[in-house]
Amino acid sequence: MVSLRNAAFAEERAEVEVLFAEAKKFEEISKKMKASLARLQTSGGILGDALALEYSNTAPLHVINNNVDKMLAVIDQWQKPLEGRGQEESIIRDGPAKAGVTAYLTSLKRVDNMLSELASKKLRVNQQAVDELGQLVRQGNTELQSLFDSILREDGQKIEPLHYITKQLPFPTILQNKISDLASINSFMSTNSRSGPQNSPTTREYAEIRGNYLHTSLQNLAFASISTSKKKSLDEVYRQGTSGIGTYASGLEGMFVAEWQNIVSIFSPDDAGIAFEMTTRKAMAEFSKTVQNLNSQIKSSIITDCFLAFEVVDVVTRLAFRMDGQTGQTGHVKQQLIDAIRPVRDTAKLSLSELLEDIRRRIASIAVFQHDGAAVPLTSEVMTRCQSLLAYPQVLSSFLSKSHNKSSSASNGSSSSLPTIKSLDISADGNQLIAHYVLETFEILLSSLETRARTIFKTKAILGVFMANNVAVIDRMIRSSDLQQLLSSTNSPNKIEIWRKKGTGAYLDSWREPCAALMDVQYTNRGTRPPSGNTGTVDSTAVIKGLSSKDKDAIKEKFKTFNSRFEELSAKHKELGQGMERDVKNQLAREIQAMIEPLYARFWDRYHEIDKGKGKYVKFDKGSLASQLSSLG
């Protein structure tokens, strides 16, 4: 038991010794670790000092590094718009014809937005991209302008307006699908254009192409207006509708209205008026030139061609107001048309006084009239002029109204070398003004003819026939035209009837001599009073028996005088009758019969037994005289 216990103690002692040895070893290690820790602390302090110094030197670099990282992130964000650049570039380089106008414009807008966004950043790193995108946008705009041009030229070939006018067809416009493309292109180009609509590339391109289309298409009508207005002879009077100016105006109207429809579908309301003015400028210049050429022609023959001036003014004035109504806000077209005809208006107004002066001038230059008193050709010519004037009532009444207003405001003591339009009622309407002008024309014509005829004709009879013939021509041409209705509306006295009576009276003066021969003196205190009027029967034998020889000789002389003058005047009447108007001849015959027959019947009833039926003095009985008088008609 003791040995076992000792063995246990010995084992424990050995373990304790081992533990002490380990403890001693740990103590030595601990000392070494403390020594190392001391050295490490010393070195750490030195290193900490060094690191603190180094950190203080590298801190700004950390800030810079962070800033660079942030800047790179921003640059990456700014360059994000370029992510779809390749696809847009492909679309634009393919062109609008291949990609389609809508897709092309959408792509170009995106590229333009990219360019605007990048350019606004002003980064040098983006400069190359900006330059490339700018070139791409310019290429795209060029392609669009080229497409705009090509679409317009497809419908830019000149047409023949006369075909559409004669067939009453609507003038052609640009097809709707093309209009849509043109409107989209114009909208894009105008939005990007920094200049006004006048300098917009699409507006200028449209005005050039479509302006040439209008000008060349209307050129033939312009030439035709000049050629159809030329006269074959100098004295030929212009007839309404001869000139092609009406057709020219219709063609211009049709093409301008069709072009306006195109323009309002392509351009914005603010730009449409300017685009229309630029497009029609060339055609309007040609129209103005044509009107000027016509005016030169009219002025060279104003008496015969003044009616062409009235027609030009009438046609173009109506056109101006129609265009103003059909093209809305483009009032400049109306003003251009009115300005174009202003010289012709002045010429037309001048012609009204020239027509009156021409009558005086031509009558004064007549050396002789026909010996039979026939009407002068000038009378028919003047009447034709008056009839022609009625074809332009609005133009004529406008001119006369202005002339009347000027005349009313002029001084009463002033005079003019040119004829003035007189006797115009201040309150008269247009028809009355025209009627007064026509009546004044008649008055000038007839008074001038009478004045000149008095110096040429030696007898009042021929003068009377001459005046009656001219009045008959006037009256006949009044009744066969619209002059009848016009003159019936005026309150003026019937001047034609006054001149007719004047001419008839002058002619009948020569027949008063044979009438005077049929006058006798009856003495009621010598025998039975003769019956009065037509009552009772006269006994010629008894009457003759109751006459003295002297009275019988006087009665014989009266019959001889009557026979001589009646035969002489009848022969002269028949001679003049060759140049008499039919109406004048019949009227004068009736007037003569009304004068002679009652007087002769009475005289014959009383004194036909003076030669006892031998016919020596009494050459005509009542029946034969009536027959002779009837033959005068």
Side-chain angles (χ1 to χ4, degrees):
M1 289 295 292
V2 174
S3 59
L4 290 174
R5 190 180 292 122
N6 289 333
F9 286 140
E11 186 180 351
E12 289 177 356
R13 187 181 295 114
E15 290 178 358
V16 170
E17 289 176 0
V18 171
L19 289 172
F20 277 116
E22 290 292 332
K24 187 177 181 179
K25 195 182 294 184
F26 280 129
E27 184 177 353
E28 289 176 358
I29 292 172
S30 177
K31 289 179 182 178
K32 289 179 181 180
M33 289 179 64
K34 288 181 180 179
S36 297
L37 179 59
R39 290 194 299 271
L40 182 58
Q41 287 178 341
T42 302
S43 298
I46 295 171
L47 181 60
D49 293 339
L51 289 174
L53 180 62
E54 185 66 23
Y55 180 78
S56 64
N57 292 331
T58 59
L61 295 180
H62 285 288
V63 174
I64 292 173
N65 185 55
N66 290 335
N67 291 339
V68 169
D69 290 340
K70 292 178 180 179
M71 182 64 69
L72 290 176
V74 172
I75 290 174
D76 289 341
Q77 186 67 29
W78 286 351
Q79 287 185 329
K80 250 186 178 180
L82 296 176
E83 291 177 355
R85 172 182 170 183
Q87 181 182 357
E88 308 300 348
E89 185 174 352
S90 175
I91 293 174
I92 291 174
R93 297 198 186 281
D94 285 343
K98 182 177 180 180
V101 173
T102 303
Y104 192 85
L105 287 173
T106 303
S107 178
L108 194 57
K109 288 177 182 177
R110 287 197 294 264
V111 172
D112 193 54
N113 291 335
M114 290 181 196
L115 177 61
S116 299
E117 190 174 347
L118 291 177
S120 66
K121 307 306 181 182
K122 298 181 180 179
L123 293 178
R124 187 174 299 176
V125 70
N126 289 338
Q127 189 59 48
Q128 182 178 355
V130 169
D131 294 341
E132 291 174 354
L133 288 177
Q135 183 178 358
L136 195 61
V137 169
R138 288 191 293 273
Q139 179 184 347
N141 289 337
T142 302
E143 291 284 350
L144 284 176
Q145 194 165 344
S146 176
L147 178 62
F148 192 85
D149 180 280
S150 64
I151 293 175
L152 288 176
R153 292 189 187 280
E154 289 174 4
D155 295 311
Q157 300 300 317
K158 77 172 187 176
I159 62 171
E160 186 52 61
L162 191 60
H163 169 75
Y164 295 90
I165 296 172
T166 55
K167 300 289 186 181
Q168 296 184 340
L169 299 173
F171 280 81
T173 56
I174 300 174
L175 297 178
Q176 188 57 44
N177 61 330
K178 295 180 180 180
I179 286 284
S180 178
D181 289 344
L182 291 172
S184 298
I185 295 172
N186 173 72
S187 177
F188 176 82
M189 300 288 284
S190 299
T191 302
N192 292 337
S193 175
R194 292 175 176 81
S195 57
Q198 289 182 332
N199 296 319
S200 170
T202 49
T203 305
R204 285 188 282 106
E205 193 75 19
Y206 187 95
E208 179 182 353
I209 296 173
R210 298 298 293 183
N212 288 334
Y213 159 76
L214 293 176
H215 176 250
T216 55
S217 296
L218 292 168
Q219 211 161 30
N220 286 340
L221 293 182
F223 293 151
S225 298
I226 299 296
S227 61
T228 54
S229 300
K230 292 181 179 178
K231 301 185 296 184
K232 296 180 180 178
S233 60
L234 292 177
D235 58 348
E236 181 182 357
V237 179
Y238 176 80
R239 297 193 310 275
Q240 184 184 21
T242 302
S243 172
I245 187 66
T247 305
Y248 188 10
S250 297
L252 185 138
E253 178 183 7
M255 295 199 71
F256 275 25
V257 171
E259 202 58 42
W260 173 250
Q261 293 173 2
N262 291 334
I263 287 175
V264 295
S265 299
I266 295 172
F267 296 90
S268 67
D270 292 336
D271 297 344
I274 296 174
F276 187 67
E277 189 277 330
M278 293 173 64
T279 304
T280 57
R281 188 178 295 165
K282 199 170 183 179
M284 281 299 304
E286 182 68 27
F287 182 79
S288 298
K289 180 181 176 182
T290 301
V291 172
Q292 289 174 6
N293 290 336
L294 290 176
N295 187 51
S296 299
Q297 174 185 322
I298 294 166
K299 292 175 72 174
S300 65
S301 304
I302 191 170
I303 301 302
T304 56
D305 284 351
C306 62
F307 307 103
L308 173 58
F310 294 135
E311 183 168 322
V312 170
V313 173
D314 185 44
V315 167
V316 179
T317 301
R318 293 174 184 273
L319 170 65
F321 283 95
R322 288 198 306 270
M323 287 294 296
D324 190 48
Q326 294 183 79
T327 57
Q329 59 182 317
T330 56
H332 73 279
V333 175
K334 172 186 172 183
Q335 189 58 48
Q336 284 181 319
L337 290 169
I338 296 299
D339 291 341
I341 62 169
R342 183 167 284 113
V344 184
R345 285 181 62 88
D346 294 340
T347 302
K349 285 189 286 188
L350 175 64
S351 70
L352 292 176
S353 58
E354 282 293 324
L355 288 173
L356 301 180
E357 184 63 27
D358 178 69
I359 295 172
R360 294 191 179 102
R361 186 169 51 245
R362 290 178 63 180
I363 292 176
S365 66
I366 296 176
V368 293
F369 294 123
Q370 292 189 38
H371 69 280
D372 57 5
V376 293
L378 178 61
T379 300
S380 296
E381 183 179 331
V382 170
M383 290 304 300
T384 302
R385 291 179 188 173
C386 292
Q387 291 172 347
S388 299
L389 285 174
L390 297 189
Y392 317 100
Q394 293 179 337
V395 175
L396 187 59
S397 62
S398 172
F399 292 161
L400 292 174
S401 177
K402 291 179 181 178
S403 298
H404 170 61
N405 292 336
K406 289 181 180 179
S407 177
S408 299
S409 61
S411 172
N412 293 332
S414 62
S415 62
S416 173
S417 60
L418 292 176
T420 58
I421 302 171
K422 302 184 288 291
S423 65
L424 293 178
D425 184 0
I426 294 177
S427 61
D429 60 15
N431 284 338
Q432 288 178 320
L433 291 172
I434 298 173
H436 283 302
Y437 178 80
V438 171
L439 289 173
E440 184 177 357
T441 302
F442 297 163
E443 184 69 24
I444 290 174
L445 172 65
L446 293 172
S447 61
S448 300
L449 285 174
E450 183 188 39
T451 301
R452 186 61 181 152
R454 288 184 184 279
T455 65
I456 295 177
F457 293 128
K458 303 305 180 184
T459 65
K460 290 181 67 176
I462 300 180
L463 173 63
V465 170
F466 175 75
M467 295 305 298
N469 281 332
N470 284 284
V471 170
V473 171
I474 293 173
D475 186 61
R476 183 174 63 249
M477 296 186 73
I478 287 175
R479 296 179 186 279
S480 63
S481 67
D482 293 337
L483 286 170
Q484 173 72 24
Q485 181 179 358
L486 174 72
L487 296 179
S488 64
S489 66
T490 180
N491 296 324
S492 299
N494 192 338
K495 295 184 178 182
I496 303 302
E497 188 61 31
I498 294 173
W499 278 103
R500 179 188 287 110
K501 290 180 179 180
K502 194 173 183 179
T504 301
Y507 177 74
L508 293 177
D509 278 348
S510 60
W511 286 85
R512 301 189 189 283
E513 187 176 348
C515 289
L518 299 176
M519 301 294 181
D520 61 338
V521 179
Q522 298 181 20
Y523 298 95
T524 59
N525 60 349
R526 297 179 183 178
T528 307
R529 180 175 179 174
S532 60
N534 294 327
T535 61
T537 302
V538 179
D539 186 352
S540 180
T541 303
V543 172
I544 295 300
K545 285 181 180 181
L547 296 176
S548 64
S549 297
K550 184 178 178 181
D551 290 338
K552 290 179 181 179
D553 290 340
I555 294 299
K556 291 176 182 179
E557 188 62 31
K558 284 180 178 290
F559 270 112
K560 288 174 63 177
T561 301
F562 173 81
N563 294 337
S564 173
R565 291 298 296 152
F566 180 76
E567 290 176 342
E568 180 184 343
L569 289 173
S570 295
K572 186 66 175 177
H573 180 87
K574 291 178 180 180
E575 180 184 346
L576 294 176
Q578 298 176 4
M580 285 185 190
E581 297 294 324
R582 185 64 185 171
D583 295 342
V584 173
K585 191 174 183 180
N586 291 335
Q587 180 197 358
L588 291 180
R590 289 192 301 271
E591 295 283 350
I592 294 169
Q593 189 168 10
M595 287 177 61
I596 299 293
E597 192 170 17
L599 291 174
Y600 188 82
R602 173 192 166 280
F603 198 80
W604 186 90
D605 285 342
R606 291 184 60 80
Y607 305 114
H608 67 275
E609 289 295 335
I610 194 69
D611 62 357
K612 302 184 183 301
K614 296 178 181 179
K616 181 178 180 180
Y617 302 108
V618 184
K619 297 183 66 174
F620 307 101
D621 60 18
K622 290 191 289 184
S624 61
L625 181 72
S627 178
Q628 286 288 329
L629 291 172
S630 297
S631 68
L632 297 179

